[in-house]
Amino acid sequence: MRAYCYKFAKGITLYPTATGNLDIQMPRTCVRHTLKGLSSGLRAALENLVSSGGTEEQLVETVTAKDGPDGIARCYYYLHLFAERQMLSYGIIDNGCPWATIEPVSSQFRFNPGPVDPGRRWILSRFACLRRETDGMVLESPLAHGMLLIHAPQATLLISALGSANTTASLQSMVPEIPRAAIELLLGMLIAGGFVDEVPEGMQEAEECTALRHWSFHELLFHTRSRSGRHQNPSGGTYRFLHKIAPFPLVKQVNATETIDLYRPDMDALIFGEELPFSLVMEERCSIREYSEQPIDARQLGEFLYRSARIKQKLFTEHQELSRRVYPAGGAIYELELYLSVHACAGVPGGYYHYCPDLHRLERIEADALLIDALLRDARSASGLEEPPQILITISARFERLFWKYESMAYSLMLKNVGTLYQTMYLVATAMDLAPCALGGGDADLFAKVAGTDYLEESSVGEFLLGRKRI
Ligand SMILES: Cc1cc2nc3c(=O)[nH]c(=O)nc-3n(C[C@H](O)[C@H](O)[C@H](O)COP(=O)(O)O)c2cc1C
C-alpha cells in the first residue's frame, strides 16, 4: 500500500468498434470518446483500468512491457487526459482489499495529492458527511467535487479520529491498528478531495473565509444537491416511481365534519370593472400586521381564496393529474394545500379548515383547540403581533405529488412554488385592500398534529396572515 490505485470511474464502459478503435462511454450521458490507433501496451493498460486497476507505476510497466520505453510518454498522456475528463477514480488497496475510493462527481474534480507534511494538523471539514448508500458507506461534502466510497472500517476509524485537529503522528497513536502508510494515503486522499481542513498553529478549528462562515451544513448541502454541477445524481423530471407507486390525486380528500361553500366573485366584473391598476397594486403591496377591530368577513375570504388559490382547470395527462391555477407552479403539479386557523372572521365560525381548491369551499377539521391556539401563538410571535391574527393560512405540501416526478430538485422546486403563492396572495390581498403578511418559519410537527397528517407525507412549508386592514 504505497500509492493510489487508478481505475475507470463508476459507470464508464469500453466498447471495441468495428474499425478496431475503442469507444469510451461516459456514465449517465450520451458522451462517447473514441480512442484511435491504440498500441497493444495501451490496450492492456486500459483493460487494467476497467478491471482491477493499477498504480501509476504498474500501468506504466504494463504499457512498456508491450510497447517498450516509447510507451511511457503515451501512457502518461492518456492518464492525464482521463484525469482531466473525470474518467478516473483513485483507490487505496491493502493486499487486494480496497479501503477507500474517491470518485469524481463534478466536472471540476481533480485529484492531485501531495506528500502529507507530518508537522501540519488536519480536521474533518464541518461540511463532510458520512452516510450509508446502497452499496456501503460514503463520505461526501458540498465543498468537494468527489465522493469517497468507504470499503473498510479502518477508513471510518481514521475519519472519526479527524473529529479533532491531528497530525499524522497523533492520528497514528489514536488508531494504532492502521499502518502509517495507510494513514498517509487516506489523509492525502481526504486533503486532496477537500474533506479535511488545515488547522493553524495554536487554533482548534480551521479558518474559513467570510463567505463560507455564513453557510450552515444543511443549507450548503441542499444548495449543491438541488442545483446541477456538484453531483451526478439523477435530477429533474425522472418519474422514478412511474408504474411502481400510484401518484397522489390532484385534490386532497379530507374527513370534514362540516363544509362551508365560499363566495365566488364575478371575475368579469373585476376584470372589466374598477379594480386598482396592476402597477398600483404592485407598488402598494406591503406586509401589514395591524388589523381593524372589525374582522375580515366570509365574502372577503371567499374572494381572496378564489382569486389566489382555486383550481381553474383540471388537466388529466398520461402520468399525473395536473391543473391550472392563478399562481404558477413547477410541472403544473400543485402539491401545496391551504389550511386556515380562523380566529376572527364574520360568517365563518372559529376553528380549523382545509381549503378545497376544486370545490372552492372550506372543509372543517376537528382539531384540538389548544393546538390551534398554539399555531396562532407561534404566528403571533413570528410577526410581533399583539393580538392573534384574524386568519392564519398554513401552507402545507403533499410532497409525494412532486417527488413522484422530480428528483434532486423537488424540494427546492416546492419552496419556489411557495414563493409564487405568497406573491399571488400578497397581490390579491393588496388589490382587495386587506392586510397580508407572509411568515418564514412555522412548526411543521405542530401542523401535522393539528391537521392529522403524516409528517413525511404532508407537512407545513409556509404561513400567511390575513385580516381586515386597520384604517
Ligand atoms: C418568505 C417570506 C417570509 C417572511 N417571514 C416573515 C415573518 O416570519 N414574520 C414577519 O413579520 N414578516 C415576514 N415576512 C414579511 C417580510 O418581513 C416583508 O415582506 C419584508 O419586511 C418587506 O416588507 P413588505 O412586505 O412590507 O414590502 C416574510 C416575507 C416573505 C416573502
Side-chain angles (χ1 to χ4, degrees), residues 310-388:
R310 78 182 187 282
I311 292 177
K312 289 166 68 181
Q313 190 187 359
K314 292 188 202 167
L315 308 165
F316 295 99
T317 66
E318 188 190 348
H319 294 327
Q320 220 173 344
E321 295 171 0
L322 308 176
S323 64
R324 291 196 58 241
R325 304 189 193 192
V326 184
Y327 67 97
I333 288 170
Y334 291 98
E335 70 290 353
L336 301 179
E337 297 288 328
L338 302 186
Y339 291 81
L340 281 74
S341 305
V342 175
H343 172 64
C345 177
V348 178
Y352 199 64
Y353 299 89
H354 170 254
Y355 171 62
C356 174
D358 183 26
L359 302 172
H360 185 55
R361 68 180 191 188
L362 293 181
E363 298 169 328
R364 192 180 179 116
I365 296 172
E366 224 34 79
D368 184 336
L370 288 175
L371 294 180
I372 303 173
D373 279 351
L375 281 178
L376 288 166
R377 214 174 29 247
D378 280 0
R380 206 174 115 190
S381 79
S383 53
L385 288 177
E386 287 184 359
E387 291 292 307

Side-chain angles (χ1 to χ4, degrees), residues 274-281 284 430-433:
E274 293 184 351
E275 268 254 294
L276 296 179
F278 177 71
S279 295
L280 184 60
V281 172
E284 286 293 305
T430 307
M432 291 179 62
D433 208 22

Side-chain angles (χ1 to χ4, degrees), residues 39 50 141 161 165 169 171 186 246 258 275 353 366 392 396 416:
S39 64
V50 172
S141 161
L171 283 171
L186 268 167
E258 182 193 341
E275 268 254 294
Y353 299 89
E366 224 34 79
L392 163 67
S396 73
K416 288 167 186 160

Side-chain angles (χ1 to χ4, degrees), residues 285-289 382-384 422 426 437-441:
R285 184 218 58 80
C286 63
S287 302
I288 300 172
R289 302 174 184 82
S383 53
Y422 270 167
Y426 260 117
C437 183
L439 297 184

Side-chain angles (χ1 to χ4, degrees), residues 171-379:
L171 283 171
Q172 172 107 76
S173 61
M174 286 173 86
V175 279
E177 59 274 53
I178 306 182
R180 175 76 175 225
I183 290 181
E184 281 171 2
L185 278 184
L186 268 167
L187 189 55
M189 182 179 270
L190 293 168
I191 296 168
F195 296 100
V196 292
D197 300 317
E198 187 174 357
V199 179
E201 222 18 76
M203 293 179 66
Q204 294 308 313
E205 277 288 347
E207 279 178 320
E208 287 181 357
C209 68
T210 311
L212 189 59
R213 281 169 59 197
H214 286 77
W215 282 97
S216 58
F217 160 71
H218 75 282
E219 276 163 338
L220 191 53
L221 186 66
F222 179 51
H223 176 60
T224 54
R225 293 301 182 266
S226 58
R227 305 288 303 166
S228 347
R230 242 172 231 210
H231 66 93
Q232 287 184 347
N233 303 329
S235 182
T238 59
Y239 290 102
R240 72 199 137 133
F241 296 112
L242 185 67
H243 307 309
K244 292 183 190 137
I245 299 175
F248 262 38
L250 171 67
V251 179
K252 175 169 175 164
Q253 299 302 316
V254 168
N255 278 335
T257 52
E258 182 193 341
T259 58
I260 301 175
D261 288 328
L262 289 168
Y263 167 72
R264 291 169 184 258
D266 177 346
M267 290 312 295
D268 283 345
L270 285 169
I271 292 165
F272 301 110
E274 293 184 351
E275 268 254 294
L276 296 179
F278 177 71
S279 295
L280 184 60
V281 172
M282 288 291 284
E283 291 296 312
E284 286 293 305
R285 184 218 58 80
C286 63
S287 302
I288 300 172
R289 302 174 184 82
E290 288 179 336
Y291 306 112
S292 84
E293 299 261 304
Q294 188 193 359
I296 185 171
D297 61 37
R299 184 184 161 107
Q300 288 172 315
L301 179 60
E303 179 174 332
F304 170 82
L305 290 170
Y306 190 85
R307 293 176 65 178
S308 46
R310 78 182 187 282
I311 292 177
K312 289 166 68 181
Q313 190 187 359
K314 292 188 202 167
L315 308 165
F316 295 99
T317 66
E318 188 190 348
H319 294 327
Q320 220 173 344
E321 295 171 0
L322 308 176
S323 64
R324 291 196 58 241
R325 304 189 193 192
V326 184
Y327 67 97
I333 288 170
Y334 291 98
E335 70 290 353
L336 301 179
E337 297 288 328
L338 302 186
Y339 291 81
L340 281 74
S341 305
V342 175
H343 172 64
C345 177
V348 178
Y352 199 64
Y353 299 89
H354 170 254
Y355 171 62
C356 174
D358 183 26
L359 302 172
H360 185 55
R361 68 180 191 188
L362 293 181
E363 298 169 328
R364 192 180 179 116
I365 296 172
E366 224 34 79
D368 184 336
L370 288 175
L371 294 180
I372 303 173
D373 279 351
L375 281 178
L376 288 166
R377 214 174 29 247
D378 280 0

